[in-house]
Amino acid sequence: MKKIFISQPMKDKTDEQILAERNKVIEEIKTHYKEDVEIIDSFFQNAPHNAKPLWFLGKSIELLAGADIAVFIGDWHYARGCRIEHMCAIEYGIEVWQMEV
């Protein structure tokens, strides 16, 4: 079973928008593999109230470490955290996909 990490820009988006984008991509991934995949939950809805962006990035990189594939969606290249996650995935040999939403 492949473990999939999803990276997406979240700034100025509602939880509903973020989840809708993720769900669309998850369905495409499941259709592609025609088998069960494990989606690593990297959307922190219950984050500490005063969490700073670097806290989120640290948690994301921790989760990325367990991924077989990192999927970067939408305009990820404009988001600082997504660019860092992408660099980490490349540098540590995690397969990278890019998908539109």
Side-chain angles (χ1 to χ4, degrees), residues 32-79:
H32 173 79
Y33 273 104
K34 297 181 177 66
E35 64 182 61
D36 286 334
V37 293
E38 179 182 337
I39 304 299
I40 298 170
D41 186 9
S42 59
F43 179 46
F44 308 108
Q45 290 181 291
N46 297 317
H49 173 68
N50 61 346
K52 295 181 179 181
L54 199 53
W55 181 90
F56 289 97
L57 182 60
K59 294 293 185 185
S60 291
I61 291 172
E62 182 179 349
L63 294 173
L64 176 61
D68 297 306
I69 300 169
V71 178
F72 294 83
I73 64 174
D75 291 332
W76 67 267
H77 52 280
Y78 293 117

Side-chain angles (χ1 to χ4, degrees), residues 2-8 22 25 29 33 38-40 42 60-61 63-73 76 81-99:
K2 297 283 187 183
K3 293 182 181 179
I4 312 291
F5 177 88
I6 299 173
S7 179
Q8 71 187 117
R22 291 178 77 78
V25 168
I29 291 167
Y33 273 104
E38 179 182 337
I39 304 299
I40 298 170
S42 59
S60 291
I61 291 172
L63 294 173
L64 176 61
D68 297 306
I69 300 169
V71 178
F72 294 83
I73 64 174
W76 67 267
C82 294
R83 289 193 312 267
I84 293 168
E85 292 165 351
H86 186 268
M87 181 181 66
C88 290
I90 296 294
E91 291 292 325
Y92 286 90
I94 298 169
E95 184 177 342
V96 171
W97 291 8
Q98 296 182 46
M99 299 177 76

